[in-house]
Amino acid sequence: MPAPVITATGLTKHYGDLVAVAGIDLEVAPGESFGLLGPNGAGKSTTMRMIGAVSTRTGGDLQVLGLDPDTHGPEIRSQLGVVPQEDNLDTELRVRDNLIVYGRYFGIPRAVCARRADELLAFAQLEDKARSKVDDLSGGMKRRLTIARALVNEPRVLMLDEPTTGLDPQARHVLWDRLFRLKERGTTLVLTTHYMDEAEQLCDRLVVVDQGRIMAEGSPAQLIREHSSREVVELRFGSQRNQAAAERIAGLGDRIETLPDRVLVYAADGEAVVEQVSRLGLHPTTSLVRRSSLEDVFLRLTGRSLIE
Amino acid sequence: MSVEQTTRDDATLAALAGAVRPRRFGALYVAEHQLRAMRAYGWTIVIGGLGQPLLYLLGLGLGLASFLDAPVGFGPDGPVPYVTFVAPALLVTATISVTTEEFTYTVMSGFKWRRVFWGMNASPLAPGQVATGLVLAVAVRMAFVAVAYTALIAAFGAVGHLWSVAVLPLLGLLGGMAFGLPLLAYSAGLRDDAGQFAAVQRFVFTPMFLFSGTFYPLATLPTWLHWIGWVSPLWHASELGRAVSYAQPMSGATVAVHLGVLVALAAGGWVLARRVFVGRMHG
Ligand SMILES: Nc1ncnc2c1ncn2[C@@H]1O[C@H](COP(=O)(O)OP(=O)(O)O)[C@@H](O)[C@H]1O
Ligand SMILES: [Mg+2]
């Protein structure tokens, strides 16, 4: 086992009386793709900022690349690539110049920055936009440019805070494809998301966070196996009747979850549940059998949905 | 040595090496960025830097001065021309004016509108270096304004001793920073510009410009207005400028007080500004 690139124990952050991060433990190995999955306000960005050595922790231990962010912030940041939740590209500069100027902050000679900028524009599929203004780019392109910018120092760890929030499905897939390539090359990825499909696609291992705490940890498949059934049946009886129907089918499957708009039945065999429901004389307006997802894990652990 | 130890050392060593240049030159990288950004409005800097002194020196030196009967400025050998009296104060006003743009809107832009400070923050640069780099870039712009102004003053023959042109730009810089650095500390703490910068211009800069002994000696004003001069970096720097330019009589103690106030304002503002940057960027 190689030494971890990030080790946190009892990591906490308070803002006045508010506890944003309430003591979390985590370890990220080199080359791993590690995720923090949780709803808005869970403390994901705060954790990322502490790891990124731009936010001083209130308590606990933190080591990044074997160094303490309190004393070695510039050293740690020299090896990180950061894609923040909110883009901060320089809108007054052209696309290619954004990469060059950013490289200068790391003390990289201008000529080297220029060469890397061209390679990174190719990687981000933005070659034909090199001379465009940042404001003329689409949301997905800006995000790709931010990722390219984060790679200009050839970082050991790429930190992505909600990389695809606000993007349309097609733009998300293009972005995921780029991140896959980085993963294949062995770049360590640390990312936060509140999309379970993103976590499933990109993360080798993840922690589920809620209210500043880690609720569970493991690979997506492990988490689903441990905290949910293999399949889920989604039944919709109409918003007035869901509650009554849920009472009548109580006992079916492993567990039943009643949401305002549907009833979820967790079971190993979903089709069998659908048959049992109709044998009880109930006729849902729609019934759908699907595989369990991280969304179900989150619901199980917290009693709430990931996206409110 | 285990494999574990080797990998760790490798990453740690890379980190230690990666921060050497940013730790040493980080402020210069920030200054480089800010100066490149100024090129977007380079022409207004050049035209403002040359045009404004021309207008003032022509207007006050040739125009207003011809109406004045009584002399207002005195050197050791008697009265000096009016334009010689106002020139040092105009120079300092010009360097201070630079800060009412660069230490207000530019700061808000870095934190909020263009957000470039946040990009810098994620790099190896430290918040203090971001502040220092910004100050260095503004000092360059200020130096340009001060040198241009001094050259025009000399061209108008509005200096007592020609050698003083070597010192006047430095006083311009000191006066500009004595006003600017406390302003920087204030601006860096603002989350929004809800008219505060316009208020600084109207309720701080303009009254200071009018009541700091810029156009006539402070002693001419009623005593209850003198305090404006005492707290005004413009007055302290202008008085020093007059002592340098045409040897306006001044005791050593007075020189020390003027210098002391300017240095204290600049240094205090500087310490405070850095603290605000650190608090905001690494909170
Ligand atoms: N700079 C800050 N000052 C005060 N409170 C903050 C600050 N940043 C985050 N918080 C609070 O900390 C909590 C966690 O926020 P954040 O880490 O941004 O969550 P997430 O990224 O998971 O949505 C929230 O309640 C948020 O309001
Ligand atoms: Mg966040």
Side-chain angles (χ1 to χ4, degrees):
Chain A
M1 257 292 278
V5 287
I6 302 165
T7 316
T9 11
L11 185 63
T12 55
K13 178 76 186 185
H14 297 187
Y15 291 110
D17 288 340
L18 185 128
V19 182
V21 177
I24 64 172
D25 303 327
L26 54 84
E27 216 173 83
V28 179
E32 193 179 19
S33 182
F34 181 85
L36 292 109
L37 174 71
N40 274 328
K44 303 183 297 294
S45 296
T46 306
T47 305
M48 293 289 265
R49 284 200 302 271
M50 286 191 282
I51 296 172
V54 293
S55 173
T56 316
R57 65 184 182 269
T58 311
D61 273 325
L62 180 61
Q63 294 241 313
V64 183
L65 301 168
L67 297 166
D68 183 338
D70 280 355
T71 52
H72 289 84
E75 283 73 15
I76 291 168
R77 294 195 297 275
S78 79
Q79 304 300 307
L80 299 184
V82 177
V83 177
Q85 187 169 345
E86 212 181 320
D87 278 330
N88 56 34
L89 294 163
D90 192 334
T91 49
E92 312 242 326
L93 296 178
R94 288 174 197 282
V95 165
R96 184 168 176 271
D97 292 335
N98 256 281
L99 302 180
I100 297 173
V101 160
Y102 204 74
R104 291 293 294 145
Y105 301 159
F106 292 80
I108 302 167
R110 188 162 276 275
V112 178
C113 293
R115 200 186 64 231
R116 284 190 195 166
D118 294 329
E119 291 163 10
L120 289 168
L121 286 177
F123 172 75
Q125 297 166 316
L126 291 169
E127 285 152 302
D128 50 338
K129 298 284 176 189
R131 300 201 41 78
S132 303
K133 288 266 183 190
V134 168
D135 274 334
D136 295 338
L137 300 184
S138 70
M141 289 175 178
K142 278 186 192 159
R143 224 49 194 147
R144 261 146 49 206
L145 179 59
T146 305
I147 292 174
R149 193 184 70 170
L151 294 170
V152 78
N153 59 321
E154 303 185 328
R156 285 180 184 248
V157 185
L158 184 61
M159 315 265 303
L160 304 123
D161 197 353
E162 308 219 1
T164 65
T165 297
L167 299 188
D168 61 60
Q170 200 203 336
R172 294 176 75 199
H173 281 281
V174 175
L175 209 99
W176 285 350
D177 169 61
R178 296 295 98 183
L179 295 178
F180 263 129
R181 266 163 217 254
L182 290 174
K183 200 159 122 50
E184 279 168 3
R185 287 191 207 164
T187 310
T188 309
L189 301 183
V190 178
L191 64 101
T192 78
T193 182
H194 60 250
Y195 297 123
M196 45 104 189
D197 51 345
E198 183 158 282
E200 275 170 31
Q201 290 268 344
L202 294 176
C203 300
D204 302 327
R205 199 162 58 86
L206 54 93
V207 288
V208 178
V209 280
D210 189 38
Q211 302 181 342
R213 287 178 199 286
I214 292 179
M215 311 298 289
E217 192 225 302
S219 69
Q222 257 173 352
L223 285 168
I224 292 167
R225 213 178 314 124
E226 279 168 31
H227 300 280
S228 192
S229 54
R230 201 167 67 85
E231 293 187 329
V232 189
V233 186
E234 298 203 1
L235 301 166
R236 290 168 203 263
F237 296 94
S239 50
Q240 311 300 320
R241 289 189 296 270
N242 282 334
Q243 188 63 44
E247 278 160 27
R248 286 198 50 198
I249 62 174
L252 292 190
D254 307 335
R255 194 166 58 88
I256 291 181
E257 196 81 58
T258 313
L259 302 180
D261 62 331
R262 67 211 137 115
V263 180
L264 303 180
V265 185
Y266 291 91
D269 183 352
E271 285 305 334
V273 170
V274 174
E275 270 170 40
Q276 286 169 309
V277 168
S278 82
R279 248 181 272 135
L280 284 170
L282 289 168
H283 303 288
T285 47
T286 63
S287 61
L288 165 81
V289 179
R290 59 167 176 81
R291 298 178 65 83
S292 259
S293 72
L294 287 172
E295 175 76 45
D296 301 299
V297 173
F298 189 81
L299 189 64
R300 177 67 196 271
L301 290 170
T302 68
R304 288 180 295 116
S305 284
L306 265 172
I307 304 170
E308 275 90 55
Chain B
M1 200 187 253
S2 67
V3 179
E4 180 167 334
Q5 205 55 44
T6 339
T7 4
R8 165 174 245 133
D9 284 351
D10 177 42
T12 310
L13 288 176
L16 293 172
V20 171
R21 289 177 65 82
R23 269 198 194 266
R24 198 170 300 161
F25 304 116
L28 295 178
Y29 301 149
V30 177
E32 175 186 327
H33 180 107
Q34 294 299 129
L35 287 169
R36 279 173 186 277
M38 278 182 202
R39 286 198 307 200
Y41 50 96
W43 277 111
T44 53
I45 295 179
V46 172
I47 291 175
L50 296 171
Q52 197 211 22
L54 261 180
L55 286 177
Y56 270 111
L57 291 169
L58 283 172
L60 295 176
L62 303 180
L64 183 65
S66 54
F67 289 95
L68 297 174
D69 300 327
V72 284
F74 296 89
D77 312 317
V80 296
Y82 181 66
V83 66
T84 306
F85 169 81
V86 285
L90 292 177
L91 163 64
V92 180
T93 304
T95 54
I96 288 178
S97 297
V98 169
T99 73
T100 62
E101 286 171 37
E102 298 284 0
F103 285 153
T104 52
Y105 299 105
T106 305
V107 180
M108 187 59 72
S109 167
F111 279 118
K112 182 155 186 241
W113 298 325
R114 260 168 99 181
R115 300 175 49 77
V116 290
F117 291 170
W118 298 113
M120 293 174 178
N121 200 35
S123 82
L125 302 175
Q129 291 177 319
V130 175
T132 310
L134 176 63
V135 172
L136 285 175
V138 173
V140 170
R141 176 173 173 187
M142 228 184 235
F144 166 76
V145 167
V147 169
Y149 221 122
T150 306
L152 283 165
I153 290 172
F156 272 76
V159 283
H161 308 289
L162 202 54
W163 58 263
S164 66
V165 299
V167 184
L168 284 176
L170 295 175
L171 281 176
L173 270 176
L174 180 60
M177 288 299 171
F179 181 86
L181 293 176
L183 178 60
L184 173 62
Y186 170 72
S187 303
L190 289 181
R191 304 285 143 157
D192 274 303
D193 173 28
Q196 289 95 329
F197 295 151
V200 166
Q201 185 75 34
R202 249 174 253 151
F203 302 116
V204 180
F205 177 77
T206 304
M208 178 181 77
F209 178 49
L210 293 175
F211 297 105
S212 291
T214 315
F215 301 107
Y216 38 79
L218 191 64
T220 325
L221 282 175
T223 324
W224 61 272
L225 278 175
H226 284 186
W227 66 269
I228 300 183
W230 299 335
V231 300
S232 150
L234 175 55
W235 181 65
H236 293 285
S238 303
E239 286 296 289
L240 286 173
R242 286 164 183 146
V244 167
S245 168
Y246 57 88
Q248 166 175 269
M250 192 177 289
S251 71
T254 312
V255 171
V257 169
H258 287 314
L259 271 177
V261 171
L262 292 172
V263 170
L265 280 170
W270 173 233
V271 170
L272 211 60
R274 278 180 66 103
R275 202 173 291 168
V276 175
F277 269 76
V278 173
R280 186 155 180 189
M281 296 171 96
H282 279 187

